[in-house]
Amino acid sequence: MNHRTFSVVICVYTEERWTDILTAVESVRRQSLPALETLVVVDHNPRLLDRLTEEFTSGHGSASPGEEVRVLANAGPRGLSAGRNTGIAVSRGEFVAFLDDDAVAERDWLRHFAEGYDDPRVMAVGGRTLPLWASGRRPVWFPEEFDWVVGCTYRGLPPGRVPVRNVLGGNASFRRTAFDAAGGFATGIGRDADRRPLGCEETELCIRLGRALPDAVLLIDDRAVIHHRVPAQRERFRYFRTRAYAEGLSKALVSHSVGSGKGLETERRYTTRVLPAGVVRGLRDALLGRPGGAGRAGAIVAGVAAAAAGYAVARAHARSGVAFSHGPITAHAPLEGGTP
C-alpha cells in the first residue's frame, strides 16, 4: 500500500458538543496513518467558529503530520450536505474522509480505509459505527435492526469488506475524483439542525456516483471502526419514531431524485428479509422470557409503519416539484478564520 493522503472533514454546528468535537479531532490526530489535514466546518454559528479558530490556531506553531486543523465556515446553505461540500472544496488530500462530530475513530480507521483503495475501481470506502449509549447500555426494547436511527451500523449489513450500494455518511471516505465525476452532496435532502432529523444524502450521492462511473466499486470495511455517542434523548421511543418517520421522508426525496429502482433497491431486501427475521427473533425471546423481546418486535413494526407514513407523505408532496442542488464542487474563498 502506497502512502495515501486523507483530508478528514468534521461538520459541527453547536457549542453543546464542544467536548465531543475536541475528542473527535483528537482521534484523527492519533491515527496510525496520519491525516494530511482535519477540516472542521462550522454550520452558520459565528460564536462556535471564532471559538474553534482560537482553539486550533493559538500556540500550535507548525503542525506535525496529522495535526493540522483548519476551521472553516460553511460556505453554502445551512445543513450537513453544504458543510461537507465546503470541506471537499478546499481539501488537499487524494481522499476525503468524513467523521461525525460526536464520534471517535479507532487508531487504524484511516489505515483500513486506505487499504480498500488498492483497487483503482474503488471510489468509496465506509466503515462500522458502534453506539456509545449515554445510559451505558442498549435499551432492552431497541432493535439492532434499527441502529441506523442513532447513526450506527445496523443488523442486516454484510460483515467483512464487501461491495455495497452506498456507504454511511458519518463514517466514510471517497476518492477526491469521485466528486469531480458526480458532484457533491445534494442540499435539500440531508440533516439541518433546524428541521426534522432527515438523512440519506450519502445514499443519493452514491447512486449518482454509480451512474456517473458504472465500473465504480463502493465498499464497507467493518475493521474501520468509529464509536458514535447516543445522547439520552435518542434512547427514547419518541425519538425512534420521529427518526423513522424522517427516514421515510428522506427515502422519498432520494427516490424522487434518482428513481425508485436504485433509490429503494437495498431497502426492499431489508424490509422483506431482515426486519421480519427481527420480529421473529423478538417474539421468540419473549416466549423464552428474555427481557425486551416483545418490545423489540413491537418497535420494528412501529418503525416500519412510521417510515412508510413518512414516505407516503413526502411522495405526495414531491409530485409538486422538489429542487435539489448537487453541482460540481468548487472552492470558495475566504473560508478560514473567525466570523465571516
Side-chain angles (χ1 to χ4, degrees), residues 1-286:
M1 179 185 70
N2 296 326
H3 179 71
R4 296 193 166 102
T5 56
F6 279 83
S7 298
V8 178
V9 176
I10 302 175
C11 294
V12 306
Y13 69 97
T14 176
E15 288 182 273
E16 293 178 3
R17 292 186 177 178
W18 177 258
T19 300
D20 291 341
I21 294 167
L22 299 186
T23 303
V25 171
E26 185 61 25
S27 75
V28 176
R29 285 175 154 173
R30 294 182 176 180
Q31 289 296 299
S32 59
L33 175 64
L36 175 67
E37 59 187 353
T38 302
L39 306 173
V40 180
V41 183
V42 182
D43 191 19
H44 298 270
N45 185 333
R47 178 172 172 173
L48 179 58
L49 179 68
D50 289 340
R51 189 178 177 189
L52 285 168
T53 299
E54 181 178 0
E55 174 73 21
F56 291 114
T57 57
S58 59
H60 283 86
S62 58
S64 302
E67 292 189 352
E68 182 182 0
V69 179
R70 301 165 64 195
V71 179
L72 316 169
N74 179 359
R78 184 182 299 274
L80 181 58
S81 290
R84 287 173 173 166
N85 291 342
T86 296
I88 295 164
V90 301
S91 62
R92 301 193 301 250
E94 182 186 1
F95 305 92
V96 183
F98 299 94
L99 179 66
D100 278 345
D101 63 344
D102 53 355
V104 177
E106 291 192 358
R107 178 171 169 77
D108 292 327
W109 178 60
L110 289 180
R111 184 173 298 281
H112 291 309
F113 277 169
E115 290 172 359
Y117 291 107
D118 287 344
D119 183 343
R121 298 174 302 164
V122 174
M123 288 290 117
V125 182
R128 179 161 53 111
T129 302
L130 302 177
L132 287 173
W133 303 97
S135 62
R137 64 175 187 174
R138 172 187 299 276
V140 294
W141 62 267
F142 202 115
E144 292 182 22
E145 291 83 359
F146 273 77
D147 276 6
W148 53 262
V149 163
V150 291
C152 294
T153 301
Y154 56 91
R155 183 193 290 267
L157 286 177
R161 185 198 289 176
V162 292
V164 292
R165 179 196 65 182
N166 64 275
V167 295
L168 305 180
N171 179 10
S173 65
F174 293 82
R175 286 189 191 271
R176 182 63 180 76
T177 54
F179 303 109
D180 298 332
F185 290 91
T187 57
I189 292 180
R191 187 69 63 101
D192 183 326
D194 293 333
R195 300 171 58 190
R196 292 183 185 273
L198 300 175
C200 295
E201 65 278 1
E202 66 273 8
T203 300
E204 196 270 351
L205 169 62
C206 289
I207 293 172
R208 276 191 286 114
L209 177 59
R211 289 180 173 177
L213 301 173
D215 294 331
V217 176
L218 286 70
L219 300 175
I220 284 184
D221 187 337
D222 63 10
R223 299 172 303 163
V225 176
I226 70 169
H227 300 265
H228 187 264
R229 299 186 190 280
V230 182
Q233 63 268 28
R234 296 189 182 184
E235 296 185 13
R236 299 169 185 158
F237 181 73
R238 181 177 180 180
Y239 180 82
F240 177 92
R241 183 178 56 195
T242 299
R243 179 66 185 88
Y245 179 82
E247 184 73 3
L249 297 175
S250 301
K251 292 300 184 189
L253 293 174
V254 170
S255 296
H256 182 67
S257 177
V258 299
S260 60
K262 281 291 185 182
L264 297 176
E265 182 179 60
T266 299
E267 289 71 19
R268 290 190 182 95
R269 175 188 174 278
Y270 173 73
T271 55
T272 58
R273 297 177 60 182
V274 175
L275 294 184
V279 172
V280 170
R281 191 179 302 109
L283 294 176
R284 181 195 63 198
D285 287 348

